[in-house]
Amino acid sequence: MKILVTGGTGTLGRHVVPLLREAGADVVVLSRHGDIACDLLGDVPPIEADVVVHLAGGQKGDDVATRNLLAACRGVRHLVYISVIGADTVPLAWLRTKHACEEAVEASGIPFTVLRAAQFHDLTLTMVRGLAKLPVVPVPGMRLQPVDVRDVAARIAGLALGRPAGRVPDLAGPADFDLRELVRGYLTVAGKRRLTVPVRLPGQAGKAYRGGRNLTLDGDRGTRTWEEFLAER
């Protein structure tokens, strides 16, 4: 089986690619510095593979990149796409773009699987570390379900080696947290003392987060905890 992975050198991709190779797949990485050097926002060469695992993403242009990739696919039998929980319920521009990507994949005619995942531990750490640099830490009122990238990678690899399944159950971390709990956990491990102050997120996005629209209520759960991740770091 030939599997092409976009973003194979990124946070998620560098865990997915070894799993696929260990399973015996012939894996080709498409990225700016991969086996196929390519910027999906530009000209994309013809993609000839049995399976495409689309992991590449950024803050802008994901919908354009995804449409360019889909247009370049030749004889692909299965496309696996990683999305984000809340893509169709939280009114942020980035999440709307992820939802547009899902719609493009579904309309492409290529048999597909879409997995929505919660915020990775790595990104959660970046966020709380940034907040904790301030002498007084503003903490927006929201709940998160951070998930370990290795749990997501294992799920993605399994889906890529299986049959197209459409939209599959969401994948979140094993526990739900108030953002304040995550910040305090980081401060404790980092040995820092900070005053935390709750702040209210404005607008429709704030309302969506307060209503838990970024959470999954009945999705699957990973096994690696936020506390274990912090201890490793």
Side-chain angles (χ1 to χ4, degrees):
M1 180 186 293
K2 181 176 181 180
I3 301 179
L4 181 138
V5 181
T6 74
T9 57
T11 300
L12 177 58
R14 65 174 178 260
H15 292 282
V16 171
V17 168
L19 293 176
L20 293 174
R21 286 179 171 153
E22 288 170 11
D26 175 13
V27 181
V28 176
V29 173
L30 185 153
S31 69
R32 288 188 177 90
H33 306 289
D35 303 312
I36 300 175
C38 174
D39 182 348
L40 290 173
L41 292 175
D43 293 329
V44 181
I47 302 299
E48 297 181 356
D50 300 302
V51 179
V52 170
V53 180
H54 184 25
L55 308 179
Q59 290 298 312
K60 293 183 179 180
D62 277 4
D63 51 344
V64 175
T66 298
R67 288 194 293 267
N68 289 345
L69 174 69
L70 292 169
C73 288
R74 303 286 186 272
V76 173
R77 301 191 310 231
H78 185 191
L79 189 140
V80 179
Y81 179 62
I82 181 67
S83 190
V84 182
I85 296 172
D88 58 345
T89 57
V90 178
L92 292 178
W94 174 64
L95 290 172
R96 285 172 174 159
T97 300
K98 300 300 285 186
H99 189 225
C101 293
E102 292 180 3
E103 293 179 324
V105 168
E106 293 171 9
S108 69
I110 300 172
F112 69 91
T113 301
V114 171
L115 171 67
R116 289 181 179 177
Q119 191 174 42
F120 294 171
H121 284 153
D122 305 75
L123 183 57
T124 304
L125 177 60
T126 298
M127 178 175 64
V128 299
R129 183 182 281 155
L131 291 171
K133 289 180 179 179
L134 300 171
V136 177
V137 183
V139 182
M142 66 171 69
R143 293 184 66 77
L144 299 174
Q145 300 169 318
V147 64
D148 197 275
V149 67
R150 292 163 292 184
D151 287 330
V152 181
R155 176 63 58 82
I156 286 288
L159 293 171
L161 295 167
R163 299 175 64 85
R167 169 89 183 277
V168 297
D170 300 339
L171 179 60
D176 297 8
F177 294 93
D178 287 325
L179 181 54
R180 188 177 182 183
E181 294 178 90
L182 296 171
V183 170
R184 285 182 169 175
Y186 167 73
L187 290 172
T188 298
V189 172
K192 296 182 179 182
R193 295 174 64 87
R194 295 286 191 277
L195 177 67
T196 61
V197 178
V199 296
R200 184 180 178 87
L201 287 175
Q204 292 299 312
K207 181 179 179 180
Y209 278 112
R210 288 192 297 275
R213 293 189 220 163
N214 61 310
L215 307 176
T216 182
L217 300 179
D218 55 2
D220 294 332
R221 297 294 185 128
T223 60
R224 294 183 174 91
T225 68
W226 168 248
E227 293 82 4
E228 290 169 341
F229 171 79
L230 282 182
E232 290 174 356
R233 293 300 180 95

